[in-house]
Amino acid sequence: MAVRQLELVLVDIVMIQLSAFLTLVIRYELVFANIEPTFIASVLKYAPINTLVTLGLFWAFRLYHSLWRYASITELGNIVLACLSSALVQLVALPVLDWPVPRSYYILQPIFLIILVTVERYSYRFLRRWRNQGRAEHRVMIIGAGEAGQMLLRELQDTPNLHYRPVCIIDDDERQWGRYIQNVKIVGGRDRIKRTARNMGIDVIMIALPSMSKRQRKEIVDLCRSTHCEVKILPGMAQLIQGEYFVGQLRPVDLEDLLGRDTIQVDVKTIGDYVRGKRVLVTGGGGSIGSELCRQIASHSPEMLVIFDIYENNAYDIQQELIKRYPNLELYVEIGSVRDEGRLNDIFNRFRPQLVYHAAAHKHVPLMEESPNEAVKNNVFGTLKTVVTADKYHVERFVLISTDKAVNPTSLMGATKRICEMIIQSYNAHSETDYVAVRFGNVLGSNGSVVPLFRKQIAEGGPVTVTHPDVTRYFMTIPEAVSLVLQAGATAQGGEIFVLDMGEPVKIADMARKLIELSGLTPDEDIKIEYTGLRPGEKLYEELLLDEGGLTKTGNDLIYIGKPISFDEEVFAEQLQRLKKSAYAEDGSVWEMVEEIVPNYRKTENAKPDRKETVGV
């Protein structure tokens, strides 16, 4: 029994005895000497039985299991039922035992017990609230007067160390305007947000509408941005139900909340039917995309999941997560590089995967401009070696994770991914394995994503760095992108380049301003925005994923099939040999070799110079 429960039991023992003797005292008009000795004797003799029976009933009605700082009408009902049940036992037991008490005892004693236990239980909550008075440092506006808003309000009022004081509530239901919840007034609808925040000196706005759509959330968030208050938001209802600590579920507003679209839906049955019972290998399985692939694949009951990654820390993290969530999953974690043919052969020979998702790659655009040979070795020839090994061991389907930067590439990284797509199409024509590629843009929260960087810069007081005022990008959440990858892979026939529709582009500078405002700060005053110039290999605008033409629709409106890449396979094979020789010789000619293989590759003006030139002498 926990210490808190033991404390409640001891206090309840006192309350049980006090209610009995208080009943006799009240019955005899507060004159203890007038109480008949036989009644006192009956109460004393019944006290042990009364105590054990009542404590047992309290336990049965979960009066020792509730969190009393969140106590509501349900807990009060349990108190009443438990006390009345105890009184019913008394009504039977005392006459049977021939221990007389006044007739009024059977009515007054349970009433006093209910009052005493209720005061005892709820005094804990009111004491916490009293202690919280005067400590609040932040004035809070809550948006949403529903169940979630009321739970949040109680938590803020009852927890002294949070230093938040709710002062008003916003809700669009006109019937509730002017009413009070926990002594906090519902002042009006969303049109009152800006004016009320200014007039009442609001510091923090907390959005407690977990069941609203993404579009509705964006509308509310946009209204809150103009207040210069810090904005926090509750997660979706499913996450909230699973959470153990309510206020701990509050999070800052993310770019995902500002995208203004609902979560992309996929055909879960198609994915599940395809992955279920299969042996699956994920290369780069510890990375941001690879690890999410592993999570979603594991949820569809594969026969076996093999995670292959060169970074042991990332691989260990996803391993521990999957072991906890899927204890019956046959899971293997193998450390190694896709550039190591011997290691690849060992992995494929031992596990004989039926499905391979190839997410291993160097993806950082500016760094790959600095180290072009490594980009070629890892992306191009790591992919080639994995493709060859998959063919050798008769893999059923091989899915390459590609990128929108392969469209008319201006970076070496994008060009290497374009070559990977060509490898996929080349091998698909001559292998029993179905080779496909899936191409998409930036994913929120991935390693190197701008959102965590901006948040860190804001927390440090700025400046927030943006490469160019007009730079724009397409965004999708990691789970969305991976779900579409799995669906594309499940419906592939072989040789396709699947293109994911990423929606509308987002201007990075606007995104930075929104995140600053939602932190309760003013852009260019509290937090400066600095423009640093485009980095090596970066485009100002990512080209629309659907601009290449020749695309055909699939069963999912957000998945298209790109037109085949036209090239001479014999010439391509010779070019790959020369490229490999150049990359491993470190002779600095990979730029020209890549341009020869990918004719639409055009280095940007800010790209690194030819490595044959002498730099820094």
Side-chain angles (χ1 to χ4, degrees):
M1 183 181 294
V3 174
R4 174 61 183 161
Q5 289 176 315
L6 181 60
E7 291 174 351
L8 288 174
V9 168
L10 294 176
V11 174
D12 284 343
I13 292 172
V14 174
M15 296 302 176
I16 293 167
Q17 311 315 318
L18 182 61
S19 66
F21 283 97
L22 186 60
T23 298
L24 295 178
V25 171
I26 295 295
R27 165 65 179 78
Y28 286 93
E29 300 175 345
L30 304 180
V31 181
F32 187 80
N34 292 343
I35 303 174
E36 292 190 24
T38 54
F39 294 160
I40 297 176
S42 295
V43 168
L44 287 174
K45 286 186 288 186
Y46 186 67
I49 300 174
N50 190 21
T51 300
L52 292 175
V53 168
T54 305
L55 291 179
L57 288 167
F58 282 9
W59 187 273
F61 280 92
R62 309 190 69 82
L63 299 192
Y64 300 115
H65 303 83
S66 298
L67 292 174
W68 289 99
R69 60 174 169 169
Y70 303 122
S72 64
I73 193 69
T74 301
E75 284 73 24
L76 179 59
N78 288 340
I79 291 174
V80 172
L81 289 173
C83 294
L84 291 179
S85 299
S86 173
L88 186 61
V89 174
Q90 282 191 121
L91 185 61
V92 174
L94 287 172
V96 169
L97 296 171
D98 196 24
W99 293 338
V101 292
R103 284 175 295 179
S104 61
Y105 178 89
Y106 296 109
I107 298 174
L108 294 177
Q109 191 273 337
I111 292 175
F112 286 131
L113 183 60
I114 291 171
I115 293 172
L116 290 172
V117 173
T118 300
V119 170
E120 174 225 334
R121 290 299 199 277
Y122 282 83
S123 64
Y124 173 72
R125 176 175 168 182
F126 290 116
L127 178 62
R128 290 174 64 89
R129 187 171 299 180
W130 176 77
R131 290 173 57 195
N132 204 18
Q133 295 296 318
R135 295 192 181 189
E137 299 174 354
H138 304 292
R139 295 172 65 83
V140 176
M141 171 191 289
I142 294 176
I143 298 180
E147 188 67 25
Q150 294 177 40
M151 289 173 63
L152 176 60
L153 176 60
R154 287 197 298 270
E155 172 75 0
L156 295 176
Q157 290 180 327
D158 295 343
T159 310
N161 60 349
L162 292 178
H163 305 298
Y164 289 118
R165 192 173 93 194
V167 296
C168 66
I169 300 172
I170 295 288
D171 197 280
D172 286 337
D173 186 354
E174 296 182 16
R175 295 170 298 178
Q176 301 193 59
W177 294 354
R179 297 186 178 184
Y180 289 81
I181 301 176
Q182 305 287 331
N183 207 34
V184 178
K185 187 176 182 180
I186 303 173
V187 296
R190 67 178 68 182
D191 59 311
R192 295 285 302 271
I193 289 175
K194 186 174 181 179
R195 180 173 47 177
T196 303
R198 181 180 63 250
N199 294 341
M200 301 189 73
I202 300 299
D203 303 306
V204 181
I205 298 176
M206 296 183 177
I207 302 174
L209 299 168
S211 59
M212 66 181 170
S213 70
K214 295 287 182 64
R215 188 171 298 279
Q216 292 171 321
R217 181 179 299 172
K218 181 181 184 298
E219 292 172 0
I220 295 289
V221 169
D222 285 341
L223 288 171
C224 295
R225 283 176 50 211
S226 61
T227 65
H228 303 298
C229 297
E230 182 181 359
V231 182
K232 293 182 178 292
I233 193 166
L234 286 173
M237 208 65 205
Q239 296 168 277
L240 194 59
I241 290 170
Q242 296 171 2
E244 295 180 357
Y245 183 50
F246 191 82
V247 172
Q249 297 293 316
L250 283 166
R251 59 170 175 79
V253 174
D254 284 325
L255 178 61
E256 181 181 349
D257 302 310
L258 304 174
L259 292 180
R261 57 172 174 77
D262 291 330
T263 302
I264 292 171
Q265 300 299 316
V266 297
D267 187 348
V268 176
K269 185 177 185 303
T270 299
I271 297 172
D273 290 345
Y274 185 68
V275 171
R276 189 173 296 109
K278 297 290 182 68
R279 299 183 300 277
V280 186
L281 168 66
V282 180
T283 71
S288 50
I289 298 297
S291 61
E292 181 62 24
L293 272 168
C294 293
R295 291 184 191 96
Q296 295 196 26
I297 290 168
S299 71
H300 293 295
S301 304
E303 176 188 333
M304 173 196 302
L305 175 60
V306 182
I307 299 173
F308 186 47
D309 203 298
I310 196 169
Y311 301 109
E312 70 275 15
N313 291 337
N314 290 347
Y316 176 78
D317 288 342
I318 186 63
Q319 177 194 45
Q320 296 307 303
E321 178 184 334
L322 294 181
I323 287 173
K324 183 177 181 180
R325 293 176 61 182
Y326 306 101
N328 297 322
L329 173 66
E330 188 174 351
L331 176 66
Y332 299 91
V333 175
E334 301 288 331
I335 304 301
S337 171
V338 293
R339 292 155 64 169
D340 186 338
E341 293 179 61
R343 184 65 171 142
L344 284 171
N345 274 281
D346 174 58
I347 297 295
F348 277 76
N349 183 50
R350 283 193 289 127
F351 297 111
R352 301 285 172 161
Q354 296 164 282
L355 305 178
V356 174
Y357 292 90
H358 182 56
H362 288 325
K363 306 179 185 72
H364 197 285
V365 170
L367 288 182
M368 292 307 99
E369 296 295 312
E370 296 281 356
S371 304
N373 293 319
E374 291 306 302
V376 169
K377 293 174 190 176
N378 197 69
N379 293 1
V380 175
F381 295 105
T383 297
L384 179 59
K385 290 173 182 178
T386 311
V387 164
V388 170
T389 311
D391 174 61
K392 177 180 177 180
Y393 288 94
H394 308 291
V395 168
E396 292 179 11
R397 187 160 297 167
F398 184 106
V399 181
L400 167 72
I401 307 300
S402 190
T403 172
D404 61 345
K405 294 173 177 61
V407 181
N408 297 321
T410 59
S411 66
L412 192 78
M413 191 283 287
T416 60
K417 281 295 192 177
R418 185 67 160 183
I419 296 173
C420 291
E421 293 176 352
M422 296 168 69
I423 291 172
I424 290 296
Q425 289 197 320
S426 176
Y427 261 79
N428 185 74
H430 308 287
S431 174
E432 295 179 358
T433 300
D434 292 331
Y435 291 96
V436 299
V438 181
R439 185 193 293 166
F440 54 85
N442 299 278
V443 287
L444 295 172
S446 63
N447 295 333
S449 171
V450 295
V451 176
L453 174 62
F454 284 170
R455 289 209 175 279
K456 180 180 178 183
Q457 290 175 335
I458 292 169
E460 293 173 348
V464 170
T465 56
V466 179
T467 56
H468 191 281
D470 297 322
V471 67
T472 60
R473 294 291 182 264
Y474 294 90
F475 285 97
M476 183 179 285
T477 67
I478 293 177
E480 286 178 323
V482 168
S483 294
L484 289 173
V485 167
L486 290 173
Q487 183 168 340
T491 57
Q493 300 299 315
E496 303 99 330
I497 296 177
F498 289 97
V499 178
L500 305 188
D501 183 355
M502 304 287 287
E504 294 299 318
V506 176
K507 186 173 284 190
I508 302 300
D510 290 346
M511 182 178 69
R513 291 180 181 277
K514 291 176 181 178
L515 290 174
I516 292 171
E517 290 169 349
L518 292 169
S519 299
L521 303 168
T522 303
D524 296 320
E525 292 183 16
D526 301 315
I527 300 289
K528 297 292 183 182
I529 297 178
E530 290 185 358
Y531 298 103
T532 59
L534 290 174
R535 298 176 297 179
E538 280 191 324
K539 295 179 181 180
L540 187 60
Y541 305 97
E542 292 292 3
E543 296 182 56
L544 284 170
L545 293 175
L546 308 182
D547 270 359
E548 285 193 303
L551 295 174
T552 57
K553 285 189 174 182
T554 66
N556 189 312
D557 291 339
L558 296 173
I559 304 177
Y560 295 79
I561 299 175
K563 65 181 181 181
I565 302 170
S566 179
F567 60 93
D568 186 310
E569 291 187 16
E570 290 186 6
V571 173
F572 178 55
E574 294 175 0
Q575 291 171 327
L576 285 180
Q577 289 299 318
R578 294 202 306 273
L579 179 62
K580 182 177 181 180
K581 182 178 179 181
S582 174
Y584 280 90
E586 304 285 349
D587 63 10
S589 62
V590 294
W591 301 89
E592 289 79 7
M593 295 295 303
V594 170
E595 283 182 299
E596 179 184 336
I597 299 173
V598 185
N600 59 347
Y601 168 43
R602 294 290 182 268
K603 288 188 293 185
T604 57
E605 293 181 1
N606 56 323
K608 285 294 177 180
D610 192 310
R611 290 309 170 110
K612 289 188 289 188
E613 298 179 10
T614 301
V615 180
V617 177

